[in-house]
Amino acid sequence: MIILGINAYHADSSAAIFVDGKMIAAIEEERFRRVKHWAGFPSMSIEFCLKEAGVRLKDVDHIAIGRDPWAKLGKKLLFLLQNPGSSVAAVRNRLSNAKKVSTLEDEFVKIEAIDKEELKKKIHNVEHHRSHLASAFFASPFEEAALLSIDGSGDFTTTMIGIGRGNKIEVLDSVDFPHSVGIFYTAMTQWLGFPHYGDEYKVMGLAPYGEAKYVDQLRDLIQFTPDGLFKLNLPYFRNPTKGIITYGEDHIPVVATLFTDHFETKLGKARQKGEELTQFHKDMAASVQRFTEELIFHVLTALQKRTGLKNVCIAGGVAQNSVANGKITRNTPFSNVYIPSAGHDAGISMGAALFVYNQTLQQPRQPAIWSAYTGSHFNNDEIEAYLQSRNIAYKKLPDAELYNYVADRLVNAGVVGWFSGRSEFGPRALGGRSILADPRRNDAKDLLNAKIKRRESFRPFAPSILKEYVEEYFTVTDVVPFMEKVFPIKEEKKSTIPAVTHVDGTGRLQSVDQTVSPRYYALIDAFRSKTGVPILLNTSFNENEPIVNSPAEALDCFLRTQMDMLVMENIIVER
């Protein structure tokens, strides 16, 4: 049975393909289009997935669209009736998006000539948050778990809680638009001077530089409700009838300014472009992060009480808050947390396909997904041919020599572009498309920002650590395959790995499993044998662009930056 899942006409569009319940490929469209968060129809991702599965579109049994324009239609209409000031543009935008999703047959026909009526019979619309829940639960190792999907908005819902048992998901409750944790966090992100779609992680990185002095002021923005959910105090936020996110012909998501004059009257004027980032801003970032954590814990604590379960699966944009994720087992009654590699909207394609396979078709669960390596891949011959076409000098080493050679360069202050195996599905580089450095260096952060990343100095870099050594370096021991949790680093280890120790003494770790990531594991182990430290500094292989997807993009990034070494499979390019 072949199921194709897609996230279309929504930020982070993507595709995923499953054969008999096993995920064969999954990738974001931005990797091909080279535009961050690209939000159109993911034709290139679909073609890639079909090729990886060795099938044509006509061979696909089911197509799962991770969006249902008609979900909560009654509530949408009631909302518009209750808000007679709704702009024509906002209504038109909603109807336009609904039309796009409901007439995807025309886009599929561009990929392959196929009878549209036959194609239509294969299509399943899966509501946005059910897709998120499925991406987390059906991919998890749990037979039974509480479920949470939490983000800005999708299909008129912003938060959904449920329970998963076997191959079934039961929705327990939801929060309707415009009451949204995502809208709150994005409004605060914009107010702090970070205006672009996806900038929320900057607030998370800035927060440890401040003190959470203003949490009580923020309590007026959101009311925690006794049922374990919440409501926004709407005068602080943009009138939702005027539209929140727009997508132009370029398919780039643009978020409207979400805070109001009332917001600025109560909290102060928004930080402007180029304005100094003061201690006040840092303290407010800390307060926003602390308050968001309290809200997440409020929802989860009530969910655990309601379900009585110790396992929880979480997805949605807010589930990308790795600082909050790392605190869940210490601040709620849950003992085990699973978050997929693509917990954000790209994971909708994977989740929609899993929902159809397990829930709709009642097929048995497959083994848990612990690998994010489902994207592009290139062999040595392809890489050599490309380098030769560009007249680039290189050397080729067997594995027996490669890992030690690269580890020596890292030990000697080298910054290495590491392009190995299949690319990762999700926003994190996990040793497939990574830039690596020595975590022991006090100057590694400045070195990387000067040579390559050119990003804000307050943003941390992450440690990739051999799975067996997590307990030795971190105060919390857990399996963290997708860099989805932040944990405190042990006091005695902070001076050993300063480059990956954030200002608050934490690290957003990736626990590297030898069976899942054999080549990356071997490189870190080679570094460990030379230094005694089983960790590498890992950041995404890009420079203000989507993560590199091909040897051409990897080479171009290497050439326009001051990276010291580029390793693509067994091929090495050096300065």
Side-chain angles (χ1 to χ4, degrees), residues 23 55 84 244 288 347-348 390 497 515 573:
M23 186 159 64
V55 300
I244 300 296
V288 170
I348 288 290
R390 294 278 301 268
I497 49 171
T515 61
V573 180

Side-chain angles (χ1 to χ4, degrees), residues 249-275:
E249 292 301 315
D250 57 6
H251 301 295
I252 298 174
V254 177
V255 186
T257 300
L258 299 184
F259 57 85
T260 62
D261 291 344
H262 178 70
F263 187 113
E264 290 189 290
T265 298
K266 294 291 186 179
L267 297 180
K269 284 292 184 183
R271 175 174 166 260
Q272 300 302 305
K273 183 178 181 180
E275 187 180 335

Side-chain angles (χ1 to χ4, degrees), residues 150-428:
I150 183 166
D151 64 12
S153 177
D155 285 335
F156 208 69
T157 296
T158 71
T159 301
M160 184 175 284
I161 57 173
I163 186 167
R165 295 187 179 95
N167 63 354
K168 289 293 181 185
I169 287 173
E170 176 191 354
V171 174
L172 298 177
D173 208 342
S174 63
V175 178
D176 293 338
F177 178 82
H179 301 282
S180 164
V181 181
I183 286 176
F184 160 76
Y185 205 98
T186 299
M188 297 300 311
T189 299
Q190 294 174 335
W191 181 80
L192 284 165
F194 308 115
H196 299 114
Y197 185 95
D199 275 353
E200 289 81 4
Y201 61 90
K202 294 183 181 181
V203 176
M204 189 170 61
L206 180 63
Y209 290 87
E211 294 180 40
K213 295 178 178 179
Y214 305 109
V215 172
D216 286 341
Q217 282 183 245
L218 296 179
R219 295 193 195 285
D220 192 43
L221 277 68
I222 302 182
Q223 176 191 352
F224 292 18
T225 55
D227 59 358
L229 298 173
F230 55 88
K231 288 182 179 179
L232 293 186
N233 189 346
L234 293 177
Y236 282 97
F237 303 96
R238 177 183 177 85
N239 185 334
T241 64
K242 297 186 181 301
I244 300 296
I245 299 180
T246 57
Y247 304 98
E249 292 301 315
D250 57 6
H251 301 295
I252 298 174
V254 177
V255 186
T257 300
L258 299 184
F259 57 85
T260 62
D261 291 344
H262 178 70
F263 187 113
E264 290 189 290
T265 298
K266 294 291 186 179
L267 297 180
K269 284 292 184 183
R271 175 174 166 260
Q272 300 302 305
K273 183 178 181 180
E275 187 180 335
E276 179 189 359
L277 200 58
T278 66
Q279 190 59 48
F280 168 69
H281 297 122
K282 296 172 186 178
D283 291 342
M284 189 59 80
S287 303
V288 170
Q289 178 62 29
R290 176 76 60 81
F291 184 63
T292 302
E293 291 169 11
E294 285 186 15
L295 179 52
I296 292 169
F297 302 153
H298 162 73
V299 174
L300 288 174
T301 297
L303 178 59
Q304 196 282 328
K305 184 177 181 181
R306 185 168 178 175
T307 63
L309 299 173
K310 290 296 185 180
N311 305 320
V312 65
C313 300
I314 310 175
V318 178
Q320 297 301 107
N321 194 310
S322 51
V323 175
N325 295 341
K327 297 178 179 179
I328 288 172
T329 57
R330 289 173 285 154
N331 289 273
T332 78
F334 286 112
S335 302
N336 304 296
V337 182
Y338 180 88
I339 299 165
S341 69
H344 65 324
D345 284 339
I348 288 290
S349 59
M350 167 187 164
L354 282 169
F355 189 93
V356 169
Y357 184 75
N358 292 119
Q359 180 104 353
T360 306
L361 302 176
Q362 301 182 38
Q363 295 298 307
R365 297 267 300 277
Q366 298 299 303
I369 297 176
W370 296 112
S371 171
Y373 307 120
T374 60
S376 62
H377 54 100
F378 300 84
N379 60 40
N380 285 318
D381 291 343
E382 292 170 313
I383 293 164
E384 285 189 88
Y386 177 74
L387 293 176
Q388 289 166 6
S389 75
R390 294 278 301 268
N391 294 316
I392 300 293
Y394 65 89
K395 66 179 64 174
K396 183 177 181 181
L397 296 179
D399 285 357
E401 300 175 30
L402 178 74
Y403 304 119
N404 276 319
Y405 189 86
V406 178
D408 281 337
R409 192 71 190 88
L410 289 163
V411 169
N412 288 293
V415 175
V416 175
W418 180 257
F419 184 104
S420 178
R422 302 186 69 156
S423 64
E424 304 91 339
F425 184 45
R428 311 295 188 204

Side-chain angles (χ1 to χ4, degrees), residues 63-70 98 101-102 104 122-128 131 155 352 355-356 360:
I63 298 173
I65 314 297
R67 192 172 179 191
D68 183 359
W70 314 115
V101 175
S102 61
L104 289 174
K122 298 179 179 183
I123 290 178
H124 305 255
N125 285 105
V126 182
E127 188 269 338
H128 180 94
S131 298
D155 285 335
F355 189 93
V356 169
T360 306

Side-chain angles (χ1 to χ4, degrees), residues 72-86 90 94 156 176-179 234 239-242:
K72 291 192 174 179
L73 182 60
K75 289 193 174 185
K76 291 176 185 175
L77 294 173
L78 180 62
F79 174 79
L80 293 175
L81 287 170
Q82 290 174 339
N83 293 273
S86 301
R94 292 171 190 273
F156 208 69
D176 293 338
F177 178 82
H179 301 282
L234 293 177
N239 185 334
T241 64
K242 297 186 181 301

Side-chain angles (χ1 to χ4, degrees), residues 452-466:
I452 301 158
K453 302 299 274 193
R454 301 184 178 92
R455 67 185 197 179
E456 296 92 344
S457 62
F458 58 79
R459 289 166 56 190
F461 289 102
S464 290
I465 179 170
L466 300 183

